Structure formats: structure tokens, C-alpha cells
Amino acid sequence: LQIAEQLGVDLVISEGVIDGSWVDPLVKAIGNVDYVVEASGTEEAIRDGLRVVKRRGKFLELGVLGKPCNLDFVQLVYKEVTAVGSIASVRSSWITALDLVKSGKVNLKLLVGPTFPFDRWREAFAAAEEGVGIKTIIYPQESTPVRNLSGLPI
């Protein structure tokens, strides 16, 4: 949460809060919000996000449910919410991301956690599971053999 604050995020709902109990106190305190970025991919979080987004607000779904989901489309229609789902990226997204990093608006040092050589992958996975850093990096070593299992030329 400290990193989110340093990145300029106004509000983060902690993982594990899936009962919707945060929605009414938030709306009462600050009103509905302009933007919701939902990245957990749970039906409950999507439902809560649609409840909290303001009229003509924007809702971005980045999570992957992996199964059909029951949504209250009345929230979308009556609030005239613009909803976008995204799992892939396009070239322009990468250019924008790189420009943000170059400009200093995004500090990668806050986002990149520990790095591990490929032969220490078990440690890397353990660090990621423990939540050490935002992103854990595993990098190849010159001594790491590359095996082409696809049968296609590399």
C-alpha cells in the first residue's frame, strides 16, 4: 500500500475484502469515483466496482475470471458507465508505458522487486508468493541452456 501511495493512487482496497462492506462507507465519505481499475478478476470485485463508479465513469477490467460471470448490467446502463476489458496489449500501450518511465512519472524502482538468476527459480517463486516486491524478476544466465520444445526454428 505504501508503494501505491508513492505512485499517486488515492485508494486501494486490500485483498481479501470481498463482502462489499467497503462500498457504502467509501461512497458516503468521498462520493462515487471517476475511474475503477479492477484487477483481481473476481465477480464480487467487479460487482463492487460497478457500484462505486460514478455516473458516466470509467470501469477497466484487467482481471481474468476464467468462467462466466453474472453482472448487474443495470449499473452500466443507468450510470452510462464506459466499461473496457483488457488482457492483451497493443504496440501503442508499450510506447505509452515506456514514455511514462522515461518522463519519470512511473518509478520502476518501486515496482520491481527482487531479481533471481534462472537456476534460483524456486527462491523467486517463494519470494513472489510471500509478496516480496510488486514484480519478481527471473533472468536467464549464459550457462542456462535453451531448449526448443516447439520444433520451430529459433
Side-chain angles (χ1 to χ4, degrees), residues 10-11 20-22 25 33 43 59 67 71 76 81-82 84 86 117 124 129 140-141 143 150-151:
D10 295 322
L11 175 70
S21 61
W22 62 273
V33 299
E43 186 172 330
F59 182 92
K67 62 182 180 182
L71 294 179
L76 280 173
V81 172
T82 300
V84 176
S86 179
E129 286 177 352
Q141 300 159 270
S143 62
S150 71

Side-chain angles (χ1 to χ4, degrees), residues 12 16 25 28 30 33 39-40 44 47 54 76 122 124 128 141:
V12 174
K28 193 174 209 175
I30 65 169
V33 299
S40 72
E44 295 85 357
R47 186 172 36 250
K54 72 171 35 174
L76 280 173
R122 283 186 176 89
Q141 300 159 270

Side-chain angles (χ1 to χ4, degrees), residues 26-130:
L26 171 77
V27 172
K28 193 174 209 175
I30 65 169
N32 291 79
V33 299
D34 296 316
Y35 299 94
V36 170
V37 178
E38 199 297 299
S40 72
T42 66
E43 186 172 330
E44 295 85 357
I46 294 168
R47 186 172 36 250
D48 291 347
L50 288 173
R51 283 178 51 208
V52 77
V53 70
K54 72 171 35 174
R55 180 175 169 78
R56 295 195 175 138
K58 310 283 190 268
F59 182 92
L60 175 60
E61 177 58 40
L62 295 175
V64 178
L65 291 160
K67 62 182 180 182
C69 171
N70 294 314
L71 294 179
D72 181 3
F73 274 91
V74 171
Q75 295 283 333
L76 280 173
V77 174
Y78 284 129
K79 289 184 175 181
E80 298 177 342
V81 172
T82 300
V84 176
S86 179
I87 191 166
S89 61
V90 293
R91 185 176 189 276
S92 61
S93 298
W94 289 100
I95 292 169
T96 301
L98 290 171
D99 288 343
L100 288 169
V101 171
K102 284 180 197 173
S103 72
K105 291 180 181 175
V106 173
N107 182 352
L108 291 182
K109 290 179 183 173
L110 295 174
L111 300 176
V112 176
T115 61
F116 297 89
F118 187 77
D119 62 354
R120 292 177 47 206
W121 67 269
R122 283 186 176 89
E123 281 180 72
F125 274 67
E129 286 177 352
E130 292 169 15

